[in-house]
Amino acid sequence: MALIRQGGGFILVGGLQLLIDWLLFVALSALGMPVVAANVAARASAALIGFWLNGRYTFAHGGQPRLGGRRLLRFALVWIGLTLLSTWLIRALDLQLGLQLTWIAKPVVEAGLAVLSFLLARHWIYR
């Protein structure tokens, strides 16, 4: 039952994060920011909201949030790794397809990384 509740919560929070990430990425890169910097800035903005929402609601245990310094450090380590991978993929897409098609492809990249993110969040970050 917890897996279903956590999975559903993670999808809702992740959807909000994806929307924030994508909108900021498109806006920043459209304004001329290089895609690498735009991707990192957009992911960082969405990550702050996601960490708090997931710790407060998705992975809460017995009504108690699972936040704090240790979990934030774990979250930061996972975020850095996934952001490096995301940024590498986004940059490669930009070089191959151009900016407008990269805008379209970014949600697909992030949705793929979300599967790995959920597993790491459930079993390591918020445990």
Side-chain angles (χ1 to χ4, degrees), residues 52-69:
W52 185 80
L53 287 173
N54 280 318
R56 178 70 182 94
Y57 300 105
T58 306
F59 297 105
H61 183 70
Q64 296 299 312
R66 289 188 171 182
L67 297 165

Side-chain angles (χ1 to χ4, degrees), residues 39-40 43-44 47 72-88 113 117 120 124-125:
N39 191 60
V40 172
R43 284 183 57 84
L72 181 58
L73 177 61
R74 290 178 184 168
F75 177 83
L77 293 172
V78 167
W79 181 83
I80 289 168
L82 292 178
T83 298
L84 288 171
L85 181 54
S86 168
T87 303
W88 178 76
L113 293 175
S117 179
L120 290 168
W124 190 55
I125 296 171

